[in-house]
Amino acid sequence: MDFPLLKKPLHFHAPGETPPEWLVKYNSLIEEADGFVAVSGEYNRCIPPALANMLDHFPPKSYRCKPCSIVCYSAGPGGGSTAGMQLRYFLGELGMVTPGFMFTNPVVHQAYAEDGTPDPSNDSAVSKANRLISELEWYAEALKAQTQKCGLP
């Protein structure tokens, strides 16, 4: 998705004003999702501005009470964990729930082949991915069931 620099988020459009069609379309996809995976690099020990820009286009109510697992990476040994912790706070402010496990990828340029497959020496990538998916599914099912039972808080 190619998002322009944020000028006016969807929820800032007046009741009689027609927001851009692409914005309404992407918001519908967000509202229909049961959960998310945020993938973020670490730039200057922060989340990329483009990621924050994209997420800020939509109202927090579209994300509310949905789980979002975090995958982060960096060229250094920290695996993007600093950005991941910032992202956890940011996603929480949008109303999302972040499961405890964070899939970090240190020295990412050496950890995967060009086609995206884990380097044979990166044997933890598959187990980390399985753990992330398992945890995300659990949270998605639990939060969806609770929302259907009680509505949103």
Side-chain angles (χ1 to χ4, degrees), residues 57-70:
H57 273 82
F58 306 101
K61 71 178 179 80
S62 298
Y63 302 111
R64 193 159 176 220
C65 293
K66 294 181 181 180
C68 186
S69 290
I70 298 171

Side-chain angles (χ1 to χ4, degrees), residues 1-13 19-28 30-31 49-63 90 94 96:
M1 296 181 223
D2 188 17
F3 283 84
L5 189 60
L6 181 63
K7 292 183 179 135
K8 189 178 210 179
L10 181 61
H11 51 297
F12 284 14
H13 288 269
E21 187 177 317
W22 66 268
L23 196 56
V24 173
K25 174 186 158 192
Y26 288 140
N27 188 62
S28 293
I30 292 168
E31 289 178 331
L51 178 58
N53 178 67
M54 189 265 314
L55 291 167
D56 281 340
H57 273 82
F58 306 101
K61 71 178 179 80
S62 298
Y63 302 111
F90 185 72
L94 291 175
M96 288 190 254

